[in-house]
């Protein structure tokens, strides 16, 4: 299974970016998909997740970020508005996948996409 992210970049404070992540491979179904981020010198942290229609956000991004999902495309998106310099980080896509003909649920990560917000 591969997760490919896109949409990162450099933006001024107050601007917007939209991240995309598409999963491909031996996928039977995807339970939870989400976004995490890691800033330099900090641990990776949850940004937003979506599972069976429910969503959960980090307090720091509530109202500003919106996670959405396209199950037909095995894709998840993160619309980021009103970006702040403290949102600067590498953003990682995560998916909890049920594989075809293989029991269990497996955790996969994308390679990460850099988001830089200038002040």
């Amino acid at each position: 299974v591969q997760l490919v992210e896109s949409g990162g970049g450099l933006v001024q404070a107050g601007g917007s970016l939209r991240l995309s992540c598409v999963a491909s491979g031996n996928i039977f179904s995807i339970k939870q998909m989400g976004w995490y981020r890691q800033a330099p010198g900090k641990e990776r942290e949850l940004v937003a997740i979506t599972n069976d229609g429910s969503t959960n956000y980090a307090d720091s991004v509530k109202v500003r970020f919106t996670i959405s999902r396209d199950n037909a495309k095995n894709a998840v998106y993160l619309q980021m508005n009103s970006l702040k310099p403290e949102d600067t980080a590498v953003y990682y896509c995560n998916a909890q996948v049920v594989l075809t003909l293989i029991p269990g649920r497996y955790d996969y990560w994308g390679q990460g996409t850099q988001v830089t917000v200038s002040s």
Side-chain angles (χ1 to χ4, degrees), residues 25-79:
N26 184 30
I27 299 170
F28 178 76
S29 66
I30 301 178
K31 298 304 181 182
Q32 180 174 288
M33 297 190 82
W35 293 93
Y36 293 72
R37 68 186 181 187
Q38 187 167 17
K42 295 187 177 181
E43 294 186 352
R44 190 173 297 188
E45 64 176 0
L46 181 147
V47 177
I49 54 174
T50 176
N51 190 340
D52 289 335
S54 67
T55 58
N56 189 29
Y57 295 91
D59 288 342
S60 60
V61 307
K62 280 181 181 177
V63 178
R64 299 186 299 123
F65 291 10
T66 303
I67 189 170
S68 61
R69 186 169 164 179
D70 186 334
N71 291 327
K73 296 181 179 179
N74 288 332
V76 65
Y77 308 97
L78 186 68
Q79 178 66 43

Side-chain angles (χ1 to χ4, degrees), residues 106-117:
Y106 298 87
D107 219 22
Y108 291 92
W109 294 89
Q111 79 285 355
T113 184
Q114 177 71 46
V115 171
T116 303
V117 185

